[in-house]
Amino acid sequence: MSTKPILHRDDPEAEPLVGNIKVTRDDWLNVAMDVLISDGVDQIKVLNLAERMAVSRSSFYWYFKSRQELLDALLARWQATNTAALIAQAEAPANTITGAVCNVHRCVVNTDLFDTALDFAVRDWARKSGKVRRSLDQSDARRMEALHAMFVRYGYSEIEAETRARVLYYMQIGYDLAQLNEPMSTRISMVPHYLYVFTGVEPRPEEVAEFSAYSQRYWKGAPS
């Protein structure tokens, strides 16, 4: 679940701003990302963002030459967070393939690793922009390559690795799109069965227990 971004000036742990600076480049990016998620790319307008932060829109141009430069920065941040995180989790070491899939599914429960709402906002944006569509296609391909390589590492043939990577990735997209109001306890109870379906291997009890504990720490806001 997305939370409203805290501006630098309102963060008690941040270094104080100096001079006439009231907001930072990251503030513009964070508020723009919040608008992208909640209202869509069409509502990312300089005046709209400035009003949300109670600053003049002229300060926008201290950091960005144009609205398009801001949009490009948003897209780059999405690639550097969501896509990079999923690839890193697919490449993380694990003793078994079921443990490796648990690593990937940390992205599902930890929004600090992978922001699902942002991912869907970018997918919606891609329907309106050829440039974003190409970036999304490239990102999906990189994610799929990482999942494919993960299965190959554990001895699956090329075709089976590709098939299982597709099932794992596209099932999760559909699962998130359905927005099921499902208790966390129900999801956790299904983990060993999902792992078996994804891999064809029975997971170790300790893997399920570790992932369940991780989920309970990070699955904030989910009904129990």
Side-chain angles (χ1 to χ4, degrees):
M1 182 179 294
S2 177
T3 57
K4 295 295 180 183
I6 298 175
L7 299 180
H8 185 104
R9 68 189 182 216
D10 299 326
D11 184 352
E13 297 183 1
E15 289 292 327
L17 298 173
V18 297
N20 294 324
I21 297 175
K22 295 181 179 179
V23 292
T24 65
R25 185 178 188 274
D26 277 346
D27 287 334
W28 284 100
L29 274 169
N30 291 338
V31 173
M33 188 172 294
D34 186 60
V35 171
L36 176 66
I37 292 170
S38 62
D39 302 320
V41 69
D42 293 341
Q43 295 305 310
I44 300 179
K45 301 174 182 178
V46 176
L47 182 58
N48 182 20
L49 302 181
E51 289 176 346
R52 284 174 179 249
M53 295 186 289
V55 297
S56 68
R57 62 180 177 179
S58 62
S59 63
F60 171 83
Y61 297 100
W62 298 350
Y63 305 110
F64 303 97
K65 295 178 182 178
S66 64
R67 175 178 178 270
Q68 185 58 54
E69 187 173 297
L70 171 65
L71 295 181
D72 290 344
L74 279 178
L75 197 60
R77 176 178 283 192
W78 164 73
Q79 292 169 325
T81 53
N82 279 18
T83 297
L86 191 146
I87 291 172
Q89 290 303 114
E91 294 175 346
N95 291 327
T96 65
I97 182 57
T98 47
V101 173
C102 284
N103 286 338
V104 171
H105 271 92
R106 290 187 175 209
C107 291
V108 176
V109 299
N110 185 353
T111 57
D112 291 335
L113 276 179
F114 189 99
D115 189 332
T116 299
L118 174 60
D119 229 53
F120 279 112
V122 172
R123 291 183 186 281
D124 184 63
W125 182 8
R127 297 187 181 98
K128 306 172 184 179
S129 166
K131 178 180 180 179
V132 177
R133 178 75 253 180
R134 289 189 294 274
S135 181
L136 177 61
D137 289 345
Q138 292 167 359
S139 179
D140 279 339
R142 290 176 60 210
R143 297 175 188 187
M144 285 294 300
E145 287 169 4
L147 293 174
H148 175 106
M150 178 186 74
F151 281 104
V152 169
R153 284 203 314 273
Y154 293 91
Y156 292 83
S157 68
E158 289 290 332
I159 187 60
E160 187 174 3
E162 180 66 18
T163 303
R164 291 189 182 279
R166 286 171 177 257
V167 170
L168 177 60
Y169 187 56
Y170 295 131
M171 176 271 185
Q172 192 57 53
I173 291 176
Y175 202 99
D176 292 332
L177 186 61
Q179 295 183 321
L180 300 176
N181 188 25
E182 188 175 55
M184 181 176 66
S185 57
T186 300
R187 292 195 185 188
I188 289 177
S189 72
M190 296 296 292
V191 165
H193 309 289
Y194 285 139
L195 289 172
Y196 181 75
V197 169
F198 292 141
T199 66
V201 176
E202 292 285 354
R204 296 177 178 177
E206 61 269 25
E207 293 170 342
V208 176
E210 192 280 333
F211 181 75
S212 297
Y214 184 91
S215 299
Q216 290 170 351
R217 290 199 301 273
Y218 286 99
W219 221 326
K220 300 183 186 301
S224 60

